[in-house]
Amino acid sequence: MALYAIGDLQGCLEPLERLLDMLAFDPARDRAWFVGDLVNRGPDSLGCLRFVKGLGPAAVTVLGNHDLHLLCVAEGIEKSRPRDTLEAVLAAPDRDELVDWLRRRPLMHVEGAYALVHAGLLPQWPVAKARALAGEVEGVLQGHGWRRFLSRLYGNEPARWDDDLDGDDRLRAIVNAMTRLRVCTRDGAMDLAFKGEPGEHHAHRTAWFDMPDRANATHTIVCGHWSALGLRVSGKVLSLDSGCVWGKSLTAARLGDRRLWQVPCPGLAGPEE
Ligand SMILES: [Mn+2]
């Protein structure tokens, strides 16, 4: 049995198939963690959803910002954006089943010494606390109030976590950290406008995983989302978005020995977002 973590797919099914072939991945024996953003921008979001869903218990995938966007568009809460490639999902005969499956995915997954989350964690959250906070969001997304919650999901505020936050503000802060975070201000607030490379960010901005005294450094955090950062394997972070959908590569890391595999993704290119 091997456990692999795989970077952001964003609709790139064909590179995923090549990567799994390279691994000789067998869902009866092996497991795969996906960092989220299964859909959007790439050519086959529908294929990616059906494939990962079809892996059943062999796969764990956490929700990413594009996955949440798909839920919002499918429910008529948000309009499609010009560069969205979600039409085939929205028109599919199994659309409702796929949307229902997607909204029941976790926001964070913790297992042994590893934690899987799409974007990042705030420095003041120990892993057990972050997992409990993810559970608050999952409870709402999987309950009767999920459409109402999605309608109040968007926005960059509150940027600063406070244990006393409640209601939609509390849930939005948790979702923003776990699905959109790249950098924090020196005092730990989220700067969600920044999308560039670590070296180019403002002197007063720090990558979330480089924040001092990060309370979740007890675990190796497996994540994606930051394609401009690219593949980063350091002591306690495996950041796996190597820009598949932007014509770069799709990455798998075997947890345990951290062996890496990559497949090139030529033919897919566009401005990064
Ligand atoms: Mn993302």
Side-chain angles (χ1 to χ4, degrees):
M1 181 294 208
L3 173 55
Y4 301 95
I6 297 173
D8 308 47
L9 298 181
Q10 293 205 246
C12 298
L13 180 62
E14 187 274 332
L16 174 64
E17 290 172 337
R18 274 188 286 130
L19 184 62
L20 294 179
D21 279 352
M22 191 188 279
L23 303 174
F25 183 84
D26 178 355
R29 180 193 65 204
D30 303 319
R31 298 174 64 216
W33 286 5
F34 292 88
V35 300
D37 279 356
L38 300 182
V39 301
N40 213 5
R41 301 283 186 267
D44 195 357
S45 293
L46 177 59
C48 285
L49 281 176
R50 286 175 174 165
F51 184 87
V52 175
K53 178 173 180 282
L55 288 174
V60 173
T61 186
V62 288
L63 289 165
N65 53 308
H66 284 285
D67 304 316
L68 291 169
H69 178 63
L70 170 59
L71 295 180
C72 289
V73 172
E75 293 305 310
I77 292 160
E78 285 282 313
K79 287 183 182 161
S80 269
R81 298 169 188 162
R83 291 195 293 135
D84 284 355
T85 58
L86 301 169
E87 299 80 5
V89 177
L90 300 172
D94 52 346
R95 159 203 165 122
D96 291 348
E97 196 181 322
L98 293 169
V99 166
D100 206 54
W101 173 79
L102 191 60
R103 81 177 165 94
R104 294 172 191 283
R105 294 312 94 201
L107 197 57
M108 180 183 181
H109 177 74
V110 181
E111 196 174 311
Y114 295 91
L116 174 70
V117 67
H118 179 62
L121 297 174
L122 287 174
Q124 62 268 52
W125 292 345
V127 165
K129 175 173 181 164
R131 188 37 250 161
L133 295 174
E136 293 182 27
V137 173
E138 292 158 7
V140 174
L141 264 179
Q142 294 169 21
H144 293 301
W146 70 284
R147 289 183 181 85
R148 182 197 158 282
F149 166 62
L150 286 177
S151 73
R152 295 170 195 216
L153 182 65
Y154 281 79
N156 290 350
E157 299 292 329
R160 197 176 300 275
W161 178 256
D162 183 327
D163 285 331
D164 292 333
L165 284 172
D166 61 7
D168 294 329
D169 282 349
R170 180 180 179 89
L171 298 174
R172 190 182 310 107
I174 298 166
V175 169
N176 281 343
M178 294 191 185
T179 70
R180 296 176 59 204
L181 182 63
R182 294 182 181 93
V183 297
C184 295
T185 61
R186 201 170 270 174
D187 60 350
M190 296 183 272
D191 177 1
L192 295 168
F194 176 82
K195 294 183 175 180
E197 295 175 33
E200 69 186 72
H201 61 72
H202 191 275
H204 299 292
R205 299 290 179 272
T206 302
W208 67 268
F209 46 75
D210 286 332
M211 291 294 285
D213 304 320
R214 186 163 58 82
N216 41 71
T218 52
H219 292 58
T220 295
I221 313 291
V222 182
C223 60
H225 182 63
W226 196 349
S227 62
L229 175 71
L231 175 65
R232 180 192 162 113
V233 179
S234 67
K236 288 289 189 176
V237 177
L238 295 178
S239 186
L240 299 176
D241 188 352
S242 46
C244 178
V245 75
W246 308 121
K248 296 175 185 171
S249 61
L250 182 65
T251 300
R254 187 164 60 196
L255 302 188
D257 67 359
R258 298 193 169 197
R259 186 172 164 191
L260 298 170
W261 289 262
Q262 288 192 308
V263 292
C265 306
L268 298 168
E272 300 201 1
E273 182 173 314

